[in-house]
Amino acid sequence: RDEVQESSEPLMRVREVETATDTTTEEEEDGLGIVYGLPSVVKLGLGDFIFYSVLVGQGAKYDMMTAVGCYLGVICGLGLTLALLSIYQKALPGLPLSIALGVLMYILTRYLLEPVLMGMVAHQIMF
């Protein structure tokens, strides 16, 4: 039998935190947030993901095209929120733009795009 030897080294090493008196320049930093003046961490709460998933789930209850439309709306809203974050340089809520675009895509896909495409498929009309 092979015996497993226990290691006395820790699984994770504790990294020393640098203080605010760090004298490194922006060019020496490899984090993009420092160079471009953006916050180094963007956080989304668990509640944001719950609302996003409920919206996409509601679209999936109808059909796949609506679910994909909701998903694309949410992703575009997140992208716009990040763009606005880089412009305003302060904390912004993550829900309003994403939910608004997701609901807009849900309504457009379910009540506008889906009937048109299903009518085209029924009559075998192609562009």
Side-chain angles (χ1 to χ4, degrees):
R1 273 190 184 184
D2 294 328
E3 291 186 21
V4 178
Q5 295 181 358
E6 291 187 27
S7 175
S8 62
E9 293 183 31
L11 294 176
M12 291 182 10
R13 297 194 188 279
V14 178
R15 190 173 62 155
E16 293 182 20
V17 178
E18 296 178 10
T19 60
T21 60
D22 187 21
T23 58
T24 57
T25 62
E26 291 181 356
E27 290 79 24
E28 294 173 354
E29 293 288 339
D30 54 351
L32 293 178
I34 302 293
V35 174
Y36 294 109
L38 297 175
S40 60
V41 176
V42 177
K43 296 180 182 179
L44 282 176
L46 184 61
D48 296 344
F49 289 110
I50 290 172
F51 279 108
Y52 301 150
S53 64
V54 166
L55 178 61
V56 174
Q58 188 67 28
K61 283 175 29 179
Y62 188 69
D63 70 349
M64 191 64 180
M65 184 170 38
T66 308
V68 170
C70 289
Y71 171 76
L72 291 175
V74 167
I75 295 299
C76 288
L78 282 173
L80 284 175
T81 302
L82 290 175
L84 289 175
L85 177 68
S86 68
I87 293 170
Y88 290 114
Q89 299 289 321
K90 63 180 181 178
L92 297 172
L95 279 176
L97 281 176
S98 298
I99 295 296
L101 287 177
V103 169
L104 179 69
M105 289 298 292
Y106 176 83
I107 292 169
L108 289 176
T109 305
R110 182 168 177 182
Y111 297 110
L112 207 67
L113 185 64
E114 192 266 340
V116 170
L117 289 180
M118 289 301 131
M120 291 175 67
V121 168
H123 297 293
Q124 297 180 351
I125 299 173
M126 302 296 269
F127 289 112

